[in-house]
Amino acid sequence: MQAVIMAGGKGTRMRPYTNILPKPLLPIGNNSILELNIQQLSDAGVDNIIIAVGYLGQLIETVIGDGERFNLKINYSYEHEPLGTVGAIAKMKHNLEDNFIVMNGDILTDIDYKKLKNFHLQNSSDVTISTYIKKHKVRLGVLKINDHLIEDYIEKPTTNYSVSMGIYFMDKKIVKDYIIEDEPLDFPNLIKNLIKNNKKCISFKHKGLWIDL
């Protein structure tokens, strides 16, 4: 099983910490968040990883190494200009397996990667998006209005949204057909394009731990 970890962002929302460390190397206890993710992937049966790096990428490569200490192989793909949250994958197309994990390098989760893989393959999906229920509470009274007539008054309602966890399982054909090398592309635009072209995009619902740093 193969994984691609997107770790090229500048982490501007976490400055000044990310002035000296890329966000995936920020510590969680005794290890960086990236090291925790790599170990989880290794425990799930991933045997090779490609890390997409940009900002402070050489520091990530120096700290993480070639993967020997995680019992897998790690290679690095450098983007010299920002390519969005998925655009950098096109540079790896000749080194990708038929189906592979794509994930952000700055998340904490206890997702079962084996179940994600099996779900993706059993459903013959083009892209499987790991999703999580996020509650959004409006801290004001919300009015339901028809023309000028108030029909209801709801005090501080809560709405549930299915959100992307930043973990995907992807068919290699999608990279070949829909991601153009050296052109910036974000995941939302990719998924919208796939839906428009009748590609199969499905949700893998996760109910455990998920923290997006």
Side-chain angles (χ1 to χ4, degrees), residues 10-12 14-23 26 55-56:
K10 293 184 177 181
T12 54
M14 297 192 72
R15 287 178 176 170
Y17 307 107
T18 51
N19 286 336
I20 57 173
L21 280 177
K23 187 164 57 168
L26 292 176
Y55 175 69
L56 297 178

Side-chain angles (χ1 to χ4, degrees), residues 28-41:
I28 305 292
N30 295 325
N31 296 289
S32 70
I33 187 170
L34 183 55
E35 289 171 301
L36 293 174
N37 281 323
I38 292 171
Q39 189 59 60
Q40 284 180 301
L41 290 167

Side-chain angles (χ1 to χ4, degrees), residues 175-192:
V175 180
K176 175 178 175 292
D177 295 339
Y178 292 93
I179 305 177
I180 301 172
E181 190 164 350
D182 294 325
E183 287 195 11
L185 181 64
D186 288 326
F187 257 110
N189 292 330
L190 172 64
I191 298 303
K192 289 178 181 179

Side-chain angles (χ1 to χ4, degrees), residues 147-158:
D147 196 5
H148 296 289
L149 180 66
I150 296 176
E151 297 182 339
D152 199 1
Y153 191 121
I154 307 165
E155 180 64 15
K156 300 179 181 178
T158 298

Side-chain angles (χ1 to χ4, degrees), residues 4 6 50 52 77-79 83-96 100 102 170-185 187 190:
V4 173
M6 312 304 289
I50 303 173
S77 178
Y78 281 80
E79 57 179 71
L83 294 173
T85 52
V86 71
I89 296 179
K91 299 170 69 69
M92 316 168 189
K93 59 187 176 184
H94 299 299
N95 298 309
L96 294 173
F100 56 95
V102 183
M170 184 180 294
D171 189 308
K172 181 180 179 179
K173 295 191 294 292
I174 296 303
V175 180
K176 175 178 175 292
D177 295 339
Y178 292 93
I179 305 177
I180 301 172
E181 190 164 350
D182 294 325
E183 287 195 11
L185 181 64
F187 257 110
L190 172 64

Side-chain angles (χ1 to χ4, degrees), residues 121-169:
L121 297 177
Q122 289 167 2
N123 286 278
S124 301
S125 176
D126 292 301
V127 177
T128 301
I129 303 176
S130 301
T131 58
Y132 190 84
I133 297 296
K134 198 74 172 176
K135 297 181 183 296
H136 176 72
K137 186 176 182 65
V138 178
R139 301 191 180 278
L140 299 168
V142 175
L143 301 176
K144 182 179 179 182
I145 302 173
N146 184 0
D147 196 5
H148 296 289
L149 180 66
I150 296 176
E151 297 182 339
D152 199 1
Y153 191 121
I154 307 165
E155 180 64 15
K156 300 179 181 178
T158 298
T159 304
N160 291 336
Y161 292 96
S162 291
V163 301
S164 169
M165 294 173 58
I167 301 173
Y168 312 83
F169 225 98

